[in-house]
Amino acid sequence: MNDDFFDPLREGRVPFTTVDGGVTAARGFRAGAISCGIKNPEATRLDLMLITSDVPTVTDAVFTTNKVRAACVRVSQQHIKDSDVRAIIANSGNANACTGPQGIQDAKAMCKATAEALGIRMRQVQVCSTGIIGMNMPIQRITPRVKELAEKLTPTGSDDASRAIMTSDTKPKTYSIEVPCGTGSFRVGGIAKGAGMICPNMATMLCFITTDAKISADELKRAMRSAVDQSFNCITIDGDTSTNDTVIVMSNGQADAPPIKKGSEEAKIFRCALHKVMLELAKMIVADGERVTKFVEIRVRNARTHADAKKAAEAVAKSMLVKCSWHGSDPNWGRVIHAVGYSGARLREELIDIYFGGLIACKGGLTSNTPVTELEKVVREPRFSVTIDLNQGSANHIVYTSDLSEEYVDFNSSEYSAAIHAKRQKGLA
Amino acid sequence: MNDDFFDPLREGRVPFTTVDGGVTAARGFRAGAISCGIKNPEATRLDLMLITSDVPTVTDAVFTTNKVRAACVRVSQQHIKDSDVRAIIANSGNANACTGPQGIQDAKAMCKATAEALGIRMRQVQVCSTGIIGMNMPIQRITPRVKELAEKLTPTGSDDASRAIMTSDTKPKTYSIEVPCGTGSFRVGGIAKGAGMICPNMATMLCFITTDAKISADELKRAMRSAVDQSFNCITIDGDTSTNDTVIVMSNGQADAPPIKKGSEEAKIFRCALHKVMLELAKMIVADGERVTKFVEIRVRNARTHADAKKAAEAVAKSMLVKCSWHGSDPNWGRVIHAVGYSGARLREELIDIYFGGLIACKGGLTSNTPVTELEKVVREPRFSVTIDLNQGSANHIVYTSDLSEEYVDFNSSEYSAAIHAKRQKGLA
């Protein structure tokens, strides 16, 4: 079996080059960040960032489906109705979630300060927060600093911005490409933060993407929904979704590539490019999940419908027993088949084949002849794929996930909580 | 807030006494167990058990909803169509799952040997297995020993039987009661095994219950379905369901209580009694889950519908982040409310109250004034309740669950898997 990881640009036969610059790789965007003491009182860690476009944009955003929504999400959802977004302001250290009317007031105050500093309207600002739930924002440390932040904006500020949204992430996440298109080219780049609580339908996950492609609001929306569905909605670390998840894509038309028209070859190229950037950022989020030691691409093949393929893949990705077995480098296909069995996907046990990497472990629902030592070699790698072929139809689905480690539990039960309590006692958000 | 744990007999105002005897507490039942070397080659651990009724029975059974079903489940599902079940034979050490036609043949061979030893028909035998998936049964070590096992049956054999079905359980699970009814009384008692993979809709979970009540097949079925729904389908440890789960209830009418008629006071008493026995066994399974250190009763109150209450309770019970917080004795209501938020239950964030034990932690979606140190005292206990009041309607649901420990991950990623590999290499199931 072919064991290459999935790549939307390779599938679409679209040439591209990776470039530096992240969220400021595209022309006409600037970014910057400062330390406000939201994350730590000494204010030694970047925790407030700003991204702007110098010119009008067409912007789309996708927000968490959690019914408990952070105040910043509510405000941004109102503001996105005006699609000429000029700025994204985001902080880490406090999620501004479960904060009631005060939270709404604080989110609006961040937009107002940004609008004033940049000379734009409040509704042209998107606001995002990530961090602790249920504490009021230390807003008096934030709004007075926004003007200073606006003065620090540069066309090379992506790196600072990517660091300012980190919470339990161990490294910044950034990816940007240049894609030939018509007689010119366009760029797409972004930054993201993830770590805990990563699951389909968005998580404590922020992703800001910019592009200089010339694209209509409708075409951008279509490309965005499709790319989110095949990237951020296909990752799971611990099955939780958060109150704050947001993906924003700003396009400002500054590229020399021709305008992207519905149904055109250029539209196909743009979709592949946006999908690629989101998928790379989504995979970085999984690989950097809290105390993750394995990155796994789960592919369900030949299901009766896409819904069946998705159910099966997600059940495997969310099974704690399966994730524990990977952590122990155990090619345990028994746990995989039983998760597939309870997933709700339509199947016939005697038709199921399961592969670790390119090697078959289970053939027709029974143990294969592949030596366990060979299968173990695959699962011992830090990155591998598991393929479940249902042999029932032709629908496929891929999910990206991780193992479950003792360190994950330890991290989420002791150190992290202790840190939160310490902050609560100091009145720090 | 009243913080007593839920009790169906107290709710129904039904007096009862706990009695010894487990699955042989009711009159006319016998049990026994032997070591066949399925669990370990030295055959020092009980791994094959038999339960019989001396007289005809009315029996009902509920099986796993996993689409990958063990061979023994398939055979038992065929046999249960004949409700005069006289015997249950069960082994631990090998699940006889993902074993194809050979597995079916082996399960039938176990029934045949039992029928011959007891002088009954094959279809009067239920067969259950629990243990490793995907290995053929060492059937040559089992069938020749069934006659010897049949000779060991005694009216006090419940304890041996309860030990013979243990896998990663740390202790046997047994519970039995006597309930006054009309001019006499009846008994209900049972044994169970659980540990890993415990989730609603059954798990690697076996439960055998006997009663000497006089009851019709229809009334038994109704009582059984209701009791299973409110006990075994309300527990979750790690969210997985298995290929082998089975609950069997045998009734033989040997009690001096009057026959139980549909809609009568006696029928109500019997339902409460069966619910109580199943709930106590289900709770023992959770408390003895793999490396569990906390037992938690999650109650969702005042949801719009029962389906909403159930969704909310199950999302909280299955959240790895919530379970980790309990493990660290952290009264983290933020993680609870965000699990409720993504559960799909209809809610209004500003109406949600959350309690740890009797203490309010979150009032109207915002942090309460209860000192964190008081809340921590509750969560530091080995058993506590978490109540989520949605203040939306009048539907309630309870789920029983546990924390998630580093030891769970360690157990399921290394030692256990290593043990399985060692067995596979020795050709031992």
Side-chain angles (χ1 to χ4, degrees):
Chain A
M1 217 193 58
N2 175 7
D3 190 37
D4 287 339
F5 289 100
F6 172 77
D7 185 324
L9 287 171
R10 193 188 58 222
E11 292 282 311
R13 297 168 193 278
V14 177
F16 72 103
T17 44
T18 54
V19 293
D20 288 339
V23 79
T24 48
R27 273 157 277 197
F29 292 97
R30 290 181 298 146
I34 56 172
S35 306
C36 296
I38 318 170
K39 265 184 194 162
N40 66 340
E42 303 77 22
T44 52
R45 297 170 67 194
L46 295 172
D47 50 19
L48 187 68
M49 66 118 245
L50 186 58
I51 299 167
T52 63
S53 170
D54 300 334
V55 296
T57 73
V58 166
T59 295
D60 192 25
V62 175
F63 300 97
T64 182
T65 56
N66 197 310
K67 283 181 189 149
V68 178
R69 281 173 303 139
C72 49
V73 168
R74 292 167 191 243
V75 169
S76 290
Q77 280 177 315
Q78 278 299 319
H79 287 186
I80 197 68
K81 289 171 188 169
D82 182 342
S83 97
D84 179 12
V85 170
R86 293 294 182 89
I88 304 168
I89 185 160
N91 74 278
S92 55
N94 187 314
N96 197 7
C98 302
T99 45
Q102 181 64 49
I104 298 288
Q105 210 172 302
D106 293 341
K108 284 184 177 166
M110 286 172 69
C111 292
K112 186 157 176 278
T114 307
E116 283 169 5
L118 298 174
I120 57 175
R121 286 175 289 118
M122 240 180 94
R123 293 182 66 85
Q124 292 179 303
V125 182
Q126 289 281 292
V127 56
C128 301
S129 297
T130 176
I132 298 167
I133 290 178
M135 298 271 303
N136 283 327
M137 289 281 277
I139 194 71
Q140 68 294 343
R141 291 199 207 116
I142 300 172
T143 44
R145 305 282 307 280
V146 174
K147 195 158 179 295
E148 174 192 344
L149 173 59
E151 285 158 7
K152 293 190 76 169
L153 292 169
T154 73
T156 56
S158 181
D159 187 54
D160 276 359
S162 69
R163 285 173 195 280
I165 51 175
M166 287 168 67
T167 53
S168 54
D169 308 65
T170 67
K171 50 190 135 186
K173 290 154 193 73
T174 175
Y175 190 76
S176 36
I177 55 175
E178 180 166 311
V179 184
C181 182
T183 53
S185 67
F186 63 80
R187 287 182 167 202
V188 185
I191 58 174
K193 64 89 43 183
M197 303 199 278
I198 298 302
C199 184
N201 301 321
M202 319 288 291
T204 294
M205 194 273 295
L206 300 178
C207 174
F208 308 137
I209 291 177
T210 59
T211 176
D212 47 21
K214 290 186 186 72
I215 191 163
S216 69
D218 278 355
E219 191 54 32
L220 178 65
K221 178 165 282 190
R222 273 189 292 271
M224 166 104 172
R225 302 299 148 120
S226 155
V228 167
D229 258 0
Q230 295 175 76
S231 58
F232 295 113
N233 285 345
C234 292
I235 62 176
T236 175
I237 295 175
D238 56 17
D240 281 18
T241 55
S242 104
T243 49
N244 290 60
D245 313 322
T246 303
V247 178
I248 302 173
V249 180
M250 296 170 84
S251 63
N252 69 2
Q254 299 295 292
D256 57 10
I260 288 159
K261 286 183 187 138
K262 190 178 164 185
S264 66
E265 179 63 18
E266 289 76 22
K268 196 198 98 184
I269 292 171
F270 181 77
R271 282 184 184 211
C272 286
L274 189 61
H275 182 182
K276 171 73 174 177
V277 172
M278 286 198 191
L279 186 59
E280 289 304 321
L281 289 169
K283 287 163 79 166
M284 286 177 201
I285 288 175
V286 174
D288 191 33
E290 282 168 356
R291 307 318 192 237
V292 159
T293 71
K294 308 271 184 182
F295 174 90
V296 187
E297 181 170 310
I298 300 173
R299 308 157 180 169
V300 173
R301 296 230 163 123
N302 300 318
R304 284 180 62 171
T305 63
H306 182 250
D308 287 301
K310 201 170 171 208
K311 279 181 195 165
E314 291 185 353
V316 174
K318 286 183 184 174
S319 162
M320 288 205 273
L321 282 170
V322 169
K323 290 160 99 76
C324 285
S325 68
W326 293 336
H327 185 60
S329 299
D330 175 11
N332 193 322
W333 64 265
R335 292 186 187 176
V336 173
I337 201 171
H338 110 248
V340 171
Y342 68 68
S343 69
R346 285 169 294 179
L347 58 85
R348 283 176 56 201
E349 182 180 338
E350 61 274 26
L351 297 181
I352 300 173
D353 300 332
I354 299 173
Y355 301 78
F356 289 96
L359 302 176
I360 193 158
C362 164
K363 173 87 192 146
L366 302 173
T367 195
S368 76
N369 294 325
T370 313
V372 169
T373 48
E374 291 300 306
L375 297 170
E376 278 173 349
K377 269 184 212 160
V378 175
V379 185
R380 220 175 279 134
E381 293 295 318
R383 298 173 92 90
F384 58 88
S385 67
V386 177
T387 303
I388 300 115
D389 194 331
L390 297 179
N391 287 304
Q392 284 264 293
S394 57
N396 304 327
H397 189 68
I398 300 180
V399 164
Y400 302 90
T401 191
S402 62
D403 61 341
L404 173 60
S405 66
E406 298 95 321
E407 294 76 17
Y408 171 93
V409 176
D410 184 49
F411 182 71
N412 281 299
S413 61
S414 51
E415 292 157 36
Y416 192 58
S417 301
I420 289 171
H421 283 153
K423 284 197 174 188
R424 279 188 181 140
Q425 274 155 8
K426 289 185 200 153
L428 255 180
Chain B
M1 215 193 58
N2 175 9
D3 191 37
D4 287 340
F5 288 100
F6 173 77
D7 184 326
L9 287 170
R10 193 187 60 224
E11 292 281 311
R13 298 169 194 278
V14 175
F16 72 102
T17 43
T18 54
V19 294
D20 288 338
V23 79
T24 48
R27 272 157 279 197
F29 292 98
R30 292 183 296 149
I34 56 172
S35 306
C36 296
I38 318 172
K39 265 185 194 162
N40 65 342
E42 304 78 21
T44 51
R45 298 170 69 193
L46 294 172
D47 51 18
L48 187 68
M49 66 117 245
L50 185 59
I51 300 167
T52 63
S53 171
D54 299 335
V55 297
T57 73
V58 167
T59 295
D60 192 25
V62 175
F63 300 97
T64 183
T65 56
N66 197 308
K67 282 179 189 150
V68 178
R69 283 173 301 139
C72 49
V73 168
R74 292 166 190 243
V75 169
S76 290
Q77 280 178 315
Q78 278 298 320
H79 287 187
I80 197 68
K81 291 172 186 167
D82 181 344
S83 97
D84 180 12
V85 170
R86 293 295 181 87
I88 304 168
I89 187 159
N91 73 278
S92 55
N94 186 315
N96 196 6
C98 303
T99 44
Q102 182 64 47
I104 298 287
Q105 209 174 303
D106 292 341
K108 285 185 176 166
M110 286 172 70
C111 293
K112 185 156 177 279
T114 308
E116 282 170 4
L118 298 173
I120 58 176
R121 284 176 289 118
M122 240 179 95
R123 293 183 67 86
Q124 291 179 305
V125 182
Q126 289 281 292
V127 57
C128 302
S129 297
T130 176
I132 298 166
I133 290 177
M135 297 271 304
N136 284 327
M137 291 281 276
I139 195 69
Q140 69 295 347
R141 292 198 206 114
I142 300 172
T143 42
R145 305 283 306 279
V146 174
K147 195 157 182 293
E148 172 193 344
L149 172 59
E151 284 159 8
K152 292 190 78 171
L153 293 169
T154 74
T156 56
S158 181
D159 188 54
D160 276 359
S162 69
R163 287 172 194 281
I165 53 175
M166 288 167 67
T167 53
S168 54
D169 308 66
T170 66
K171 48 190 135 189
K173 290 155 193 73
T174 173
Y175 189 76
S176 36
I177 54 175
E178 181 164 311
V179 184
C181 183
T183 53
S185 67
F186 64 80
R187 289 182 165 200
V188 185
I191 58 174
K193 66 90 39 184
M197 302 200 280
I198 299 300
C199 183
N201 301 321
M202 319 288 292
T204 296
M205 196 273 294
L206 301 178
C207 174
F208 307 137
I209 292 177
T210 59
T211 177
D212 47 21
K214 290 185 185 71
I215 191 163
S216 69
D218 279 356
E219 191 54 32
L220 178 65
K221 178 164 280 189
R222 273 189 291 270
M224 166 104 172
R225 301 298 149 121
S226 155
V228 167
D229 257 0
Q230 295 176 76
S231 58
F232 295 113
N233 285 345
C234 291
I235 62 177
T236 172
I237 296 175
D238 57 16
D240 280 20
T241 55
S242 104
T243 47
N244 290 59
D245 314 322
T246 303
V247 178
I248 303 173
V249 180
M250 298 170 83
S251 63
N252 68 2
Q254 299 294 293
D256 57 10
I260 287 159
K261 285 180 188 141
K262 191 179 166 185
S264 66
E265 180 62 18
E266 289 76 23
K268 195 199 99 183
I269 293 171
F270 180 78
R271 282 184 184 212
C272 287
L274 188 61
H275 182 181
K276 172 74 174 176
V277 171
M278 284 196 192
L279 186 58
E280 290 303 322
L281 290 169
K283 286 163 78 167
M284 287 178 202
I285 287 174
V286 173
D288 191 32
E290 281 167 358
R291 305 322 191 234
V292 159
T293 72
K294 309 270 185 185
F295 174 90
V296 188
E297 182 170 309
I298 300 174
R299 308 156 181 169
V300 173
R301 296 227 165 126
N302 301 317
R304 285 178 64 171
T305 63
H306 182 252
D308 287 302
K310 202 169 170 211
K311 279 181 195 166
E314 291 185 352
V316 174
K318 287 183 185 175
S319 161
M320 288 205 273
L321 280 170
V322 169
K323 292 160 97 76
C324 285
S325 68
W326 294 335
H327 185 62
S329 299
D330 175 11
N332 193 323
W333 64 265
R335 292 186 187 175
V336 174
I337 200 171
H338 109 248
V340 171
Y342 67 67
S343 68
R346 284 169 295 179
L347 58 84
R348 284 177 55 202
E349 181 180 340
E350 61 274 25
L351 296 180
I352 300 174
D353 300 331
I354 299 173
Y355 302 79
F356 289 96
L359 302 176
I360 193 159
C362 163
K363 173 85 191 146
L366 301 173
T367 194
S368 76
N369 293 323
T370 313
V372 169
T373 47
E374 291 300 307
L375 296 170
E376 279 173 349
K377 271 185 210 161
V378 175
V379 185
R380 219 174 280 133
E381 294 294 318
R383 298 173 91 89
F384 58 88
S385 67
V386 177
T387 303
I388 299 115
D389 195 330
L390 297 180
N391 286 304
Q392 284 264 297
S394 58
N396 304 327
H397 189 68
I398 301 179
V399 163
Y400 303 90
T401 190
S402 61
D403 61 341
L404 174 61
S405 65
E406 298 95 321
E407 294 76 18
Y408 171 92
V409 177
D410 184 48
F411 183 71
N412 280 300
S413 61
S414 48
E415 293 157 35
Y416 192 58
S417 301
I420 290 172
H421 284 155
K423 282 196 175 189
R424 280 189 181 139
Q425 274 156 8
K426 288 184 201 151
L428 254 179

